[in-house]
C-alpha cells in the first residue's frame, strides 16, 4: 500500500504510524474509500467490514463476522461428494456365490459318479479322490462367500449411516435456502473451530478478534490501534495481512 | 406418524417411507395398515446386487449412458448405432 497521512509518507505491507497522532478511524476510512488517495491499496472485500479494525474495544467476532471470515476463505456449507458405491464388494459377492453354485453342482456330479461306480463294483479310488477334492473346493468357496457377504454388509451398514447423515444435511441446506440467518450461522460454525485454534498463535490481547483476523483472507490492510505488537512486521506475520499500526 | 418416530424411519419419499427393521418399524407399518387397510403396501426390502441378477449389457448401458457427454441426449438417441439394448426390449425381460 501507499500511505500519505498526518505528514507521513510510507509504502509497504506493514506500516507503523504510532506516535504521529493519526486517528484509527481516519486510516480505516481512507482504506475503505476507493477515492481517498491518502491510502492506496487493494480494495477491501466484505470481511474487512468485520476485521479491518482491531482495537481494545473491538468486539469478539459475532456470527456475521465469522460467516464473513468463512466466506473470505471460500468455505461453503455441504456440497460434499456422494459416498463411494461398494460396487467391487457386490461383484465379489456375486462371483463368490456363482463359485459356490458351480462347485455344489460339481460335488453332486462327483458323488453321483462314485455311487454309480460302487453299484457297478468298479474301483472307486479315483472317484473318491475327485469327490474329496470337489468338497474341499466347495468348502473354500463357501468360506469366501461368507466373508464377501460380511464385507458387503458392513459397507452397506456404514453407507446407510452416511446416507442418513447426508439427508439430514440436505434438509438443513433446504432450510437454510429459505433462511439467510441459518445459512450465516452454519457458515460461522464451519469456521469457528479454525478461529479457536488460531487463538494459540496470537498475543494475549483481544485474542478472539486477532484470531479471526488471522484466519480471514484479507486483501486490504488491517488497522491495529494501540495493539500488542512491537514491530509492524510482527503484526503482519501474526495477522497474515497488510497492517497499519496506529 | 413418521415425524414422531424419526429414529425408526430410515427414509421418506413423498408418500412412501422406509422403516428400520425393528419392532418399532413393524409397529409403525402395522399402524398404517390398520388405519388405511388395503391402501397401504408393506414390503420388506433387501439390498440389491446387480451382479448375478442383471445382464452385463444392461449394466454397461446404464453406466455409459450416465457418462454421456451431453446431459440432454435422450437414451434412444444415445443408443442408436450401438449395441446397447432398446428400452422396450429391457421392459419385456424379467430379471
Amino acid at each position: 500500500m501507499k500511505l500519505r497521512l498526518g505528514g507521513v509518507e510510507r509504502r509497504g505491507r506493514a506500516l507503523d504510524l504510532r506516535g504521529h497522532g493519526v486517528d484509527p478511524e481516519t486510516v480505516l476510512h481512507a482504506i475503505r474509500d476507493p477515492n481517498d488517495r491518502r491510502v492506496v491499496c487493494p480494495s477491501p472485500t466484505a470481511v474487512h467490514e468485520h476485521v479491518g479494525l482491531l482495537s481494545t474495544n473491538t468486539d469478539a467476532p459475532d456470527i456475521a463476522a465469522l460467516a464473513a471470515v468463512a466466506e473470505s476463505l471460500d468455505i461453503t456449507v455441504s456440497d460434499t461428494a456422494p459416498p463411494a458405491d461398494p460396487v467391487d464388494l457386490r461383484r465379489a459377492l456375486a462371483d463368490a456365490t456363482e463359485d459356490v453354485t458351480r462347485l455344489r453342482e460339481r460335488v453332486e456330479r462327483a458323488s453321483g459318479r462314485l455311487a454309480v461306480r460302487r453299484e457297478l463294483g468298479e474301483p472307486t479310488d479315483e472317484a473318491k479322490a475327485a469327490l474329496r477334492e470337489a468338497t474341499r473346493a466347495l468348502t473354500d468357496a463357501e468360506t469366501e462367500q461368507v466373508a464377501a457377504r460380511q464385507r458387503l454388509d458392513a459397507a452397506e451398514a456404514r453407507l446407510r449411516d452416511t446416507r442418513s447423515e447426508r439427508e439430514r444435511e440436505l434438509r438443513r441446506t433446504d432450510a437454510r435456502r429459505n433462511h439467510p440467518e441459518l445459512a450465516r450461522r452454519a457458515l460461522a460454525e464451519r469456521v469457528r473451530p479454525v478461529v479457536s485454534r488460531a487463538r494459540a498463535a496470537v498475543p494475549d490481547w483481544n485474542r478472539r478478534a486477532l484470531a479471526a483476523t488471522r484466519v480471514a483472507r484479507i486483501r486490504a490492510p488491517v488497522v491495529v490501534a494501540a495493539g500488542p505488537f512491537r514491530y509492524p512486521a510482527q503484526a503482519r506475520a501474526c495477522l497474515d495481512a497488510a497492517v497499519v499500526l496506529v | 406418524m413418521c415425524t414422531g418416530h424419526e429414529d425408526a424411519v430410515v427414509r421418506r419419499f413423498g408418500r412412501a417411507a422406509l422403516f428400520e427393521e425393528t419392532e418399532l418399524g413393524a409397529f409403525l407399518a402395522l399402524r398404517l395398515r390398520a388405519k388405511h387397510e388395503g391402501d397401504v403396501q408393506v414390503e420388506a426390502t433387501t439390498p440389491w446386487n446387480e451382479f448375478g441378477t442383471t445382464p452385463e449389457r444392461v449394466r454397461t448401458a446404464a453406466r455409459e449412458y450416465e457418462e454421456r457427454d451431453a446431459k440432454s441426449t435422450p437414451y434412444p438417441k444415445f443408443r442408436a448405432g450401438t449395441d446397447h439394448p432398446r428400452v422396450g426390449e429391457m421392459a419385456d425381460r424379467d430379471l
Side-chain angles (χ1 to χ4, degrees), chain A residues 137-152:
Chain A
L138 174 60
T139 310
D140 285 354
E142 281 170 340
T143 308
E144 178 47 36
Q145 186 192 25
V146 170
R149 180 167 291 137
Q150 281 169 351
R151 281 193 290 271
L152 178 58

Side-chain angles (χ1 to χ4, degrees), chain B residues 8-42:
Chain B
V9 181
V10 181
R11 232 159 290 292
R12 284 174 71 176
F13 330 79
R15 285 164 61 81
L18 186 60
F19 294 127
E20 287 272 13
E21 201 172 357
T22 58
E23 285 191 0
L24 180 55
F27 172 71
L28 295 172
L30 289 170
R31 274 182 58 195
L32 284 171
R33 223 179 218 168
K35 195 167 163 188
H36 302 289
E37 298 187 28
D39 258 351
V40 176
Q41 173 186 353
V42 181

Side-chain angles (χ1 to χ4, degrees), chain B residues 7-8 12 14-15 21 25 35 40 50 54 66 68 75 83:
Chain B
D7 289 352
R12 284 174 71 176
R15 285 164 61 81
E21 201 172 357
K35 195 167 163 188
V40 176
E50 70 273 42
T54 312
E66 284 311 315
R68 69 193 178 278
Y75 180 71
D83 290 338

Side-chain angles (χ1 to χ4, degrees), chain A residues 87 90-91 94 156 160 163-164 167, chain B residues 6 11 47-52 59:
Chain A
V87 58
R90 283 200 304 276
R91 194 195 298 271
E156 271 168 354
R160 271 193 286 275
R163 279 192 212 108
S164 302
E167 193 170 278
Chain B
E6 286 276 353
R11 232 159 290 292
W48 181 60
N49 193 337
E50 70 273 42
F51 302 102
R59 286 188 263 133

